[in-house]
Amino acid sequence: AQTVTQSQPEMSVQEAETVTLSCTYDTSENNYYLFWYKQPPSRQMILVIRQEAYKQQNATENRFSVNFQKAAKSFSLKISDSQLGDTAMYFCAFMKPNDYKLSFGAGTTVTVRA
Amino acid sequence: DSGVTQTPKHLITATGQRVTLRCSPRSGDLSVYWYQQSLDQGLQFLIHYYNGEERAKGNILERFSAQQFPDLHSELNLSSLELGDSALYFCASSQTSGGHHTGELFFGEGSRLTVL
């Protein structure tokens, strides 16, 4: 079974600053997907960014980018120019191809201060 | 709006009762997944249906069952409810065309179940 570890329960960042969330995972697979999902107070799970393990280039979506280190099994999320609307819980998740089950980390609560 | 619709949004019931949660996937999505989010267990995969057939089971209790109907909507049935079943239940759907999966799941807003 895959395990996903998010070691930071809470993070706080000033508006317009940058925050980095860490995630590590354990797998013996060579190919897989990694995700960051955002869960705002409205509680809906929203996909932030997605990375395929066979792609070495780090994924980027506007102010969100990842640092994918396959050998270290690390997948951190950087939020640049933080906005108040970024306040949410962020979950790192792992999926094997053809498995379709997401394994989630425990989540990191991010609070953006005005 | 993800396009995935879940009803009801909130549900309060008593121990020993039975409830049904409903999910309508995004138009065209053949796969439906159910996840449970609780304070002590976090987000856990329950079950996956593809085009009406069960494809995978996770940590789903025997008291729980699900099905996917010909119109692709799905229902999660929870019976003999216990206090510990109180949680947020998410449905998600995905685009699976010709067997190809992008890995992206689209989540509904969840059904908040409170068992008293």
Side-chain angles (χ1 to χ4, degrees):
Chain A
Q2 279 63 231
T3 57
V4 179
T5 302
Q6 293 179 249
S7 58
Q8 306 150 313
E10 295 181 10
M11 300 279 285
S12 181
V13 60
Q14 193 72 31
E15 196 174 10
E17 297 294 311
T18 295
V19 63
T20 299
L21 312 182
S22 66
C23 172
T24 58
Y25 56 93
D26 182 28
T27 185
S28 58
E29 302 289 328
N30 188 50
N31 194 23
Y32 44 86
Y33 299 113
L34 293 165
F35 306 86
W36 280 98
Y37 277 88
K38 168 185 176 180
Q39 187 177 37
S42 66
R43 81 188 186 200
Q44 183 164 10
M45 298 289 287
I46 302 166
L47 178 65
V48 174
I49 203 164
R50 169 179 170 272
Q51 175 84 39
E52 297 179 47
Y54 68 85
K55 291 185 178 178
Q56 293 192 349
Q57 186 173 6
N58 290 323
T60 299
E61 285 289 338
N62 300 315
R63 299 181 294 106
F64 298 87
S65 61
V66 297
N67 183 5
F68 173 48
Q69 301 290 327
K70 191 172 183 180
K73 297 180 183 175
S74 170
F75 184 60
S76 62
L77 174 70
K78 184 170 77 172
I79 307 174
S80 304
D81 185 24
S82 296
Q83 300 176 1
L84 296 178
D86 296 332
T87 292
M89 181 165 275
Y90 287 80
F91 292 93
C92 179
F94 173 101
M95 178 192 282
K96 290 190 295 185
N98 302 319
D99 189 0
Y100 313 139
K101 292 182 290 186
L102 279 170
S103 297
F104 286 93
T108 298
T109 300
V110 172
T111 302
V112 180
R113 307 185 309 273
Chain B
D1 183 6
S2 67
V4 178
T5 304
Q6 287 188 248
T7 56
K9 287 187 167 43
H10 301 275
L11 190 55
I12 301 174
T13 189
T15 55
Q17 295 299 304
R18 171 190 167 95
V19 299
T20 297
L21 309 180
R22 183 188 168 98
C23 169
S24 294
R26 291 189 324 155
S27 177
D29 284 356
L30 300 178
S31 279
V32 169
Y33 312 79
W34 287 96
Y35 285 82
Q36 179 194 58
Q37 184 178 28
S38 62
L39 285 175
D40 54 345
Q41 298 286 336
L43 271 158
Q44 294 222 324
F45 166 75
L46 294 179
I47 199 162
H48 168 212
Y49 276 85
Y50 174 78
N51 203 19
E53 293 187 3
E54 182 186 303
R55 278 296 178 90
K57 262 186 177 178
N59 299 322
I60 187 167
L61 301 171
E62 286 191 9
R63 301 183 286 107
F64 296 1
S65 65
Q67 53 184 327
Q68 186 180 26
F69 296 87
D71 67 353
L72 301 177
H73 90 271
S74 178
E75 293 181 357
L76 179 66
N77 300 295
L78 315 175
S79 61
S80 302
L81 285 168
E82 302 175 359
L83 296 178
D85 297 328
S86 294
L88 187 55
Y89 291 85
F90 281 107
C91 170
S93 71
S94 68
Q95 182 179 50
T96 310
S97 175
H100 174 65
H101 192 287
T102 66
E104 182 173 356
L105 268 59
F106 297 87
F107 283 81
E109 294 184 354
S111 292
R112 169 76 69 187
L113 173 66
T114 302
V115 182
L116 301 176

